[in-house]
Amino acid sequence: MADADEMVGVLAGDELYAFTGGSPPALDELRARYARQVVGRSPDGSEEWHNWIIRGQADGYVQATVTDEGRRAEIAWVVGLHRQGQGYASEATRAAAGRLRARGVVFVQAHIHPEHAASAAVARRVGLLPTDRFDDGERLWLSRPGKGP
């Protein structure tokens, strides 16, 4: 939760929300979000929540929601505007997915807006493949069991 003070600046760019929607969080909002996330589980216990801060300074984050009795992880990443295009998202996402696989996750997936070329490039770099499935306007990208990130 202490990271909220540093992360509020990282998440301040309106451009970060072009494909995901929303707007930059205020500090109080981000602290409240982190307080909910630090619990590590959904209220009903069906999901595990993992969140990592990308560090140089705080440069962004990777998060994962683990479901299906620990077999599936939905990952997402955000890198602050000041660090985009430098490989931070790919490196951090690959590391997070590796940690998840070491814990027994079989399928790693992400949902990406079809026009978000930068996130599609990250997904490809970490071994996710686009599928023909769309949920809420976003394409599902999926690793093959035992392959990819």
Side-chain angles (χ1 to χ4, degrees):
M1 287 180 15
D3 293 316
D5 292 357
E6 192 174 3
M7 287 298 294
V8 74
V10 174
L11 302 176
D14 288 326
E15 297 90 348
L16 291 175
Y17 306 90
F19 295 104
T20 60
S23 59
L27 181 57
D28 289 344
E29 179 185 350
L30 194 56
R31 285 178 178 158
R33 179 187 309 164
Y34 287 0
R36 287 188 307 274
Q37 291 174 338
V38 77
V39 173
R41 293 189 126 3
S42 61
D44 67 2
S46 67
E47 298 175 345
E48 292 178 38
W49 297 337
H50 301 268
N51 295 278
W52 298 274
I53 301 294
I54 300 171
R55 287 269 175 215
Q57 297 177 316
D59 295 317
Y61 66 85
V62 177
Q63 63 185 30
T65 300
V66 179
T67 59
D68 195 20
E69 298 177 354
R71 294 176 35 89
R72 182 174 302 273
E74 174 85 21
I75 58 173
W77 52 89
V78 173
V79 172
L81 297 172
H82 68 292
R83 295 287 191 211
Q84 289 185 358
Q86 299 176 41
Y88 284 85
S90 297
E91 182 179 345
T93 302
R94 189 177 297 111
R99 289 183 73 170
L100 293 164
R101 286 214 182 274
R103 295 187 70 236
V105 169
V106 177
F107 296 99
V108 177
Q109 66 184 44
H111 281 85
I112 300 172
H113 190 284
E115 295 177 22
H116 199 320
S119 281
V122 170
R124 280 190 183 91
R125 283 188 202 106
V126 300
L128 300 181
L129 302 171
T131 69
D132 293 331
R133 180 174 158 187
F134 285 80
D135 298 307
D136 295 324
E138 295 183 322
R139 180 184 297 269
L140 173 65
W141 290 67
L142 185 62
S143 65
R144 293 176 289 189
K147 303 278 184 181

